[in-house]
Every structure is written in structure tokens, then in C-alpha cells.
């Protein structure tokens, strides 16, 4: 933080209570209060950086882009999952403001949570295009119409910030639930006209920890900083799962193909 802010440019002060946990010394997480001077343009991330630079250099938290793109600064701010870089201290004055690690994830250190389980979920949905047929470079670009792009574009905006998982009561109850973020990414690929792996991904949707684990609370879409609407993705997969079941019951040969839309070929 610029020194002029600390030296007098800040008009107000706020107490920020940060949940601290250092496994080598702490038996359990405990809050620690810091007095932080702030101006109206100071984000919570900048406030944490002020604490680290001027008050306690041992404070640990994740960040990278500072502009709501990398998704690494997710944390609980006054008990709500938010990106620290796009949340402003002024909105919590006079405080105190509480900052805690993302709910429902194991704490690694201070505000840093363990993300290994989330990464495994993302890997499990085959998060890449698997073409229906092999293409060669000689065939040129794999073109799409604007309509084909519009089918999945919203779901491609996910930044993997995990706020939706911290807001999801079902994930809090069952850490094996595939969860809203992975389901949105799954929908992104299943709705892509260039992809041919819908049937593989639907096998995951049908499992006990797939779409039907969702209890339709909708918090995931409320907290999403990119308006990805993962609840919509989960609901669409419930519909597709039910249709799959029905078509399989009938022995219909199309039961594995209905998720793909080949219409509107360029
Ligand atoms: S620092 Fe990248 S999203 Fe906040």
C-alpha cells in the first residue's frame, strides 16, 4: 500500500478481525484484530496487504490479478463468500469487519484453503473439448455460429473462485458432491457443438454425488461474481439426467446423444 495512505491520506479507520491459523503453533483457528486506515477506494484485498506490509508480515492469503479474473482471492467477508479484490472496505464501515477463509474447505494457513479436492472435481468432468471425430489441421478452423456459441458462453466465464462451493449447504454436508462450479464447467463443454463427450460426462451427472445431490437452494448463483449461474447448469443436468433415464428405460438409441446439439452448423 502507498505510504501516503498510512501517513495521513486515510480519513477513517476500521477494525478488521482476521481468522488466523498456523498449524505449527495454533491448536485451532482464532480471530486477530487489526486497526486499518482506509480510503474509499481500498479493497479488502488491499486492506490485507496493508496488514501484511505494516502490521503482521506472517499473514497468509492468496491473490494474483487484483481484478476479479484469477479467482484466487475468494474468502468469507462478513460471513459471505466474496472476492477480496472486488469488495470494498468502505461498505463495512464502521466495522468491525470479519475476514475468514472460504467456508467448507480445510484451512491450510490463515486465509488459504486446500484446493486439491476441488481440482480433482474439475479434472473429473473432462474439462476440454473431445471432438466427435478426429480433425486435421488441413480442415481449418472449427467454426461455430453465434447461436452455438451462446449456448455455452455464460458457463465459460467461470474463474474457479470456489465462492459457489462456500455458499452451497449441500457441499458443506457432503464434500464429495461434484458441486456447482464443476457442474457449470461440465455444462460448458456438453453444450459446445464441437464436443462429442457428453455421454462420458453424463455418467458423472447420474451418480449419487452428481446433479441429484443438489437441493436447489440457489446460493451458488447468488454469490457468483461472474454471473455464471451454476444453479442453472445443475438444473439443466437434472433435466438431461431424467431424460437419459427415460430414454434408457425405453431402450431408445438416442439416449446418449440428446445432450449434443448439431443444429445451426456454420
Ligand atoms: S486477485 Fe484475482 S480474482 Fe481477486
Amino acid at each position: 500500500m502507498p505510504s501516503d495512505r498510512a501517513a495521513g491520506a486515510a480519513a477513517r479507520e476500521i477494525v478488521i478481525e482476521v481468522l488466523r491459523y498456523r498449524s505449527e503453533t495454533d491448536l485451532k483457528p482464532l480471530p486477530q484484530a487489526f486497526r486499518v486506515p482506509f480510503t474509499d477506494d481500498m479493497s479488502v484485498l488491499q486492506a490485507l496487504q496493508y496488514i501484511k506490509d505494516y502490521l503482521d508480515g506472517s499473514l497468509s492469503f492468496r491473490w494474483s490479478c487484483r481484478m476479479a479474473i484469477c479467482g484466487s482471492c475468494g474468502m468469507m467477508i462478513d460471513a459471505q463468500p466474496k472476492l477480496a479484490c472486488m469488495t470494498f472496505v468502505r461498505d463495512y464501515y464502521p466495522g468491525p469487519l470479519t475476514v475468514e477463509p472460504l467456508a467448507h474447505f480445510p484451512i491450510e494457513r490463515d486465509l488459504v484453503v486446500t484446493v486439491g479436492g476441488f481440482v480433482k472435481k474439475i479434472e473429473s468432468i473432462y474439462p476440454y473439448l473431445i471432438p466427435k471425430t478426429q480433425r486435421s489441421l488441413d480442415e481449418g478452423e472449427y467454426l461455430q455460429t453465434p447461436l452455438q456459441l451462446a449456448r455455452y458462453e455464460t458457463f465459460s466465464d467461470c474463474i474457479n473462485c470456489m465462492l459457489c462451493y462456500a455458499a452451497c449447504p449441500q457441499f458443506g454436508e457432503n464434500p464429495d458432491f461434484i458441486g456447482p462450479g464443476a457442474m457449470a464447467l461440465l455444462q460448458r463443454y456438453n453444450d459446445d457443438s464441437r464436443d462429442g463427450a457428453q455421454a462420458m460426462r453424463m455418467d458423472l451427472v447420474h451418480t449419487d454425488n452428481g446433479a441429484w445431490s443438489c437441493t436447489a437452494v440457489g446460493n451458488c448463483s447468488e454469490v457468483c461474481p461472474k454471473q455464471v449461474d451454476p444453479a442453472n447448469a445443475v438444473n439443466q443436468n437434472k433435466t438431461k439426467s431424467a431424460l437419459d433415464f427415460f430414454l434408457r428405460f425405453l431402450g431408445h438409441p438416442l439416449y446418449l446423444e440428446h445432450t449434443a446439439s448439431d443444429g445451426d452448423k456454420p
Side-chain angles (χ1 to χ4, degrees):
M1 180 175 146
S3 58
D4 63 334
R5 200 192 299 265
R12 296 180 284 181
E13 251 190 12
I14 192 169
V15 171
I16 300 183
E17 292 178 353
V18 184
L19 197 67
R20 305 294 308 271
Y21 178 65
R22 292 137 295 188
S23 60
E24 66 276 16
T25 54
D26 301 339
L27 293 177
K28 62 178 184 178
L30 286 171
Q32 183 177 1
F34 300 95
R35 295 194 80 82
V36 177
F38 72 96
T39 49
D40 281 352
D41 60 349
M42 185 191 237
S43 68
V44 173
L45 180 62
Q46 287 174 306
L48 294 174
Q49 286 168 329
Y50 177 90
I51 293 170
K52 191 169 180 70
D53 289 347
Y54 295 100
L55 305 177
D56 187 338
S58 71
L59 180 63
S60 297
F61 51 98
R62 284 197 179 104
W63 62 278
S64 182
C65 71
R66 296 182 293 182
M67 56 179 76
I69 292 174
C70 74
S72 60
C73 70
M75 53 191 74
M76 306 302 288
I77 299 176
D78 261 13
Q80 295 298 315
K82 290 180 183 290
L83 295 181
C85 68
M86 63 180 289
T87 305
F88 289 89
V89 174
R90 63 173 184 254
D91 295 331
Y92 298 88
Y93 186 76
L97 163 62
T98 64
V99 181
E100 300 170 310
L102 276 181
H104 305 154
F105 289 93
I107 302 174
E108 205 163 301
R109 184 182 177 89
D110 294 337
L111 300 171
V112 177
V113 295
T114 303
V115 299
F118 172 70
V119 171
K120 280 199 173 69
K121 291 180 204 293
I122 294 293
E123 287 173 348
S124 74
I125 60 104
Y126 307 100
Y128 38 83
L129 290 176
I130 303 176
K132 295 183 182 99
T133 54
Q134 286 298 325
R135 288 175 61 88
S136 71
L137 287 176
D138 297 339
E139 293 175 83
E141 297 166 274
Y142 204 159
L143 296 176
Q144 288 185 311
T145 65
L147 184 60
Q148 287 172 323
L149 172 65
R151 285 200 179 104
Y152 68 84
E153 192 173 19
T154 302
F155 299 123
S156 70
D157 288 339
C158 176
I159 58 172
N160 297 320
C161 63
M162 308 189 304
L163 301 195
C164 54
Y165 285 79
C168 174
Q170 186 59 23
F171 177 64
E173 292 286 320
N174 172 20
D176 293 329
F177 172 39
I178 184 80
M183 197 63 76
L185 197 61
L186 179 149
Q187 188 70 10
R188 177 256 173 273
Y189 288 101
N190 273 4
D191 271 354
D192 193 314
S193 59
R194 299 165 297 180
D195 185 84
Q198 295 86 0
M200 279 161 54
R201 298 192 190 96
M202 287 308 291
D203 281 345
L204 190 68
V205 172
H206 299 317
T207 64
D208 287 347
N209 294 316
W212 297 103
S213 272
C214 167
T215 49
V217 174
N219 287 354
C220 52
S221 292
E222 296 275 327
V223 303
C224 178
K226 294 295 185 181
Q227 291 77 49
V228 168
D229 198 1
N232 179 20
V234 177
N235 286 337
Q236 287 194 47
N237 277 293
K238 285 180 179 173
T239 304
K240 287 177 179 176
S241 178
L243 183 58
D244 253 10
F245 178 80
F246 184 63
L247 293 175
R248 284 184 200 215
F249 180 71
L250 295 178
H252 197 289
L254 292 179
Y255 79 90
L256 288 178
E257 296 172 15
H258 67 86
T259 52
S261 175
D262 291 327
D264 309 302
K265 287 192 185 304

